Amino acid sequence: MKVFKFGGASINSIDRIKSTSQIIKTQAGDKLLLVVSAMGKTTNALEKVAGSFFEGKKEEALALFQQVKDQHRNTLKYLTVTRGLQGENQLNDFNTEVEWLLHDKPVRQFDYYYDQVVCSGELMSTAILYHYLLELGVNIAWVDVRDVIKTDNNFRDAGVDWDFTGSMIKEKVLPLFEQYDVVLTQGFIGSTFENESTTLGREGSDYTAAIFANLMNAESVTIWKDVESVMNADPRKFADAVNIYSLSYAEVIEMAYYGAQVIHPKTIKPLQNKNIPLFVKNFLNPQLQGTSITHQLARQLPTLIVVKENQALMQFKSKDFSFVEDKPIEQLHKIFDTVKLKPNLSQNTAISLLCSFDDRKEKIDQLAHLASEFFDVELERNLSLLTLRHYNTEIYQQLTKGKTVVLLQKTPETVQALMRENTAV
Ligand code: ASP
Ligand code: MG
């Protein structure tokens, strides 16, 4: 059995849904588990719904949600002939759940509401795709993944209960393959044991595919994207970015860790643990080779370039000149946990610790505030973090030219430079 994951871009228009469905139809002879994200930018739109609701702007939240609903209903109408009514009923079921909630007043944490609202994106997209594929004659079942992937209640970044999820897959998913060729379900979402919806973190559908593959011992996972393959750099920023056709799990996990937006960072471990190959393929042109990711070490990789913009450098200096050792570092890490911010790069000197973070303003302010009890805190914004793997001096010099490096870390394999743009005086 194979696992296919389709992201938002592969179903963001009628045409895309049609061509994605052709890929599925062609493969449907093999047993296939399909994991699908929300359409296009739906998750962003639903985040706004949750935000308005939480700010007490009920009418605005309902109006924004109405737009999302209409868009899905129209898509369904265009695509279906005989299954229209069943499809609409299914969409209505999900929408009613959300609308009930939007009529209430927020009394719980934001993250809880976020998950209850945002999960509807995946439920709606998969319902539409399901009814369309049925009309195309695909022998397919639709599964609400919230009955299968069980998580803790750490909303917005829920942790999966692997044992329980494994038993649900055995009980509820595997038997479906005796009757159906394709089982379609949602990426990114799950639910608690109290049946409250949860999400696994933005872009989490890749991870869902890996969870299923691991627990079903799938033969492979294919992530269908709008790029030809994994590349050594973001082609929107680097015109000379090149394709990479084979990579090791280890390399990909490093790339994702440094911020390359290739594959969700949590995806690799479940696949590596069971030695399940991961293919990245282009849904616009399935004939292209794509990238295969396995345990095999790739030789002669080009330099991998990752740039993270919008970095904030914080310097925590001990107030009384005592060394920054175990105790104060421990205090700081507790604060990082509370604020839910992880440094992308950190380095300590005798009496200070330097850390670079994604500049999420409220979190940075909160962090500065909490840390100021123990440390003098200095902050510099608007930096960018360059990471190069398999680098050479020439590339390093070229990419740091015209910039001031404010923090530098090197191993023989990887160099990371936190940089400030030199402004002309
Ligand atoms: N729809 C979710 C997101 O946009 C999950 C995903 O696309 O993987 O983050
Ligand atoms: Mg996506």
Side-chain angles (χ1 to χ4, degrees), residues 5 7-8 37-38 40 43-44 122 188 201-206:
K5 181 260 171 172
S37 309
T43 303
N44 294 359
E122 269 68 13
F188 175 57
R202 284 303 305 262
E203 302 301 324
S205 295
D206 294 352

Side-chain angles (χ1 to χ4, degrees), residues 50-317:
S52 299
F53 165 75
F54 199 70
E55 285 167 23
K57 301 179 192 155
K58 179 170 132 186
E59 297 311 320
E60 184 180 290
L62 285 164
L64 288 171
F65 189 63
Q66 186 67 39
Q67 289 174 11
V68 177
K69 258 170 61 173
D70 290 346
Q71 190 213 341
H72 284 83
R73 189 180 304 140
N74 292 339
T75 308
L76 175 79
K77 272 200 187 133
Y78 271 112
L79 284 167
T80 52
V81 184
T82 56
R83 302 283 314 176
L85 198 62
Q86 285 103 321
E88 191 149 346
N89 286 341
Q90 203 179 359
L91 294 187
N92 284 342
D93 285 347
F94 308 139
N95 296 336
T96 316
E97 269 181 56
V98 176
E99 277 164 352
W100 271 350
L101 178 135
L102 295 180
H103 277 98
D104 279 346
K105 278 209 163 56
V107 287
R108 296 178 60 168
Q109 280 179 335
F110 174 68
D111 290 355
Y112 163 78
Y113 292 109
Y114 177 102
D115 283 1
Q116 310 318 302
V117 173
V118 162
C119 71
S120 63
E122 269 68 13
L123 293 166
M124 290 193 271
S125 67
T126 53
I128 294 173
L129 191 62
Y130 169 63
H131 292 284
Y132 180 61
L133 286 167
L134 273 178
E135 283 197 8
L136 292 185
V138 177
N139 180 21
I140 185 172
W142 180 94
V143 168
D144 187 333
V145 81
R146 296 173 301 175
D147 296 331
V148 179
I149 295 196
K150 287 290 164 183
T151 69
D152 58 22
N153 60 2
N154 187 17
F155 296 104
R156 283 184 82 176
D157 188 22
V160 173
D161 184 324
W162 282 81
D163 290 339
F164 196 84
T165 300
S167 61
M168 288 297 103
I169 285 180
K170 273 209 188 82
E171 193 179 301
K172 298 189 164 165
V173 181
L174 289 175
L176 291 172
F177 284 107
E178 285 162 23
Q179 201 183 333
Y180 298 98
D181 295 332
V182 181
V183 174
L184 165 59
T185 198
Q186 304 78 40
F188 175 57
I189 68 177
S191 84
T192 66
F193 288 91
E194 288 80 43
N195 291 325
E196 290 171 328
S197 302
T198 50
T199 63
L200 310 177
R202 284 303 305 262
E203 302 301 324
S205 295
D206 294 352
Y207 180 43
T208 305
I211 296 169
F212 273 100
N214 176 294
L215 293 171
M216 299 193 319
N217 295 311
E219 144 194 354
S220 65
V221 173
T222 307
I223 295 184
W224 295 86
K225 292 174 85 76
D226 55 1
V227 292
E228 187 181 330
S229 66
V230 176
M231 302 184 92
N232 71 319
D234 183 344
R236 287 164 300 187
K237 289 183 193 151
F238 297 91
D240 49 3
V242 294
N243 293 319
I244 305 177
Y245 299 108
S246 85
L247 276 167
S248 66
Y249 297 122
E251 196 61 51
V252 175
I253 216 164
E254 295 287 347
M255 284 169 80
Y257 172 80
Y258 291 119
Q261 304 206 311
V262 261
I263 287 152
H264 191 282
K266 284 185 182 165
T267 312
I268 300 300
K269 182 177 182 315
L271 302 181
Q272 187 276 346
N273 288 179
K274 291 247 174 114
N275 210 354
I276 300 169
L278 171 61
F279 303 116
V280 176
K281 293 203 40 113
N282 184 331
F283 60 72
L284 299 168
N285 191 351
Q287 310 312 332
L288 294 174
Q289 179 184 355
T291 302
S292 79
I293 298 161
T294 63
H295 67 276
Q296 248 168 348
L297 286 184
R299 294 219 176 87
Q300 289 183 327
L301 284 174
T303 300
L304 306 176
I305 307 170
V306 185
V307 182
K308 275 190 159 215
E309 306 287 355
N310 207 12
Q311 296 294 297
L313 175 66
M314 292 182 97
Q315 171 153 210
F316 307 96
K317 270 195 214 152

Side-chain angles (χ1 to χ4, degrees), residues 12 16 49 107 173 193 208 291 312 324 349 366 386:
N12 67 3
R16 288 268 170 99
V49 174
V107 287
V173 181
F193 288 91
T208 305
T291 302
V324 178
T349 72
Q366 195 192 355
L386 170 73

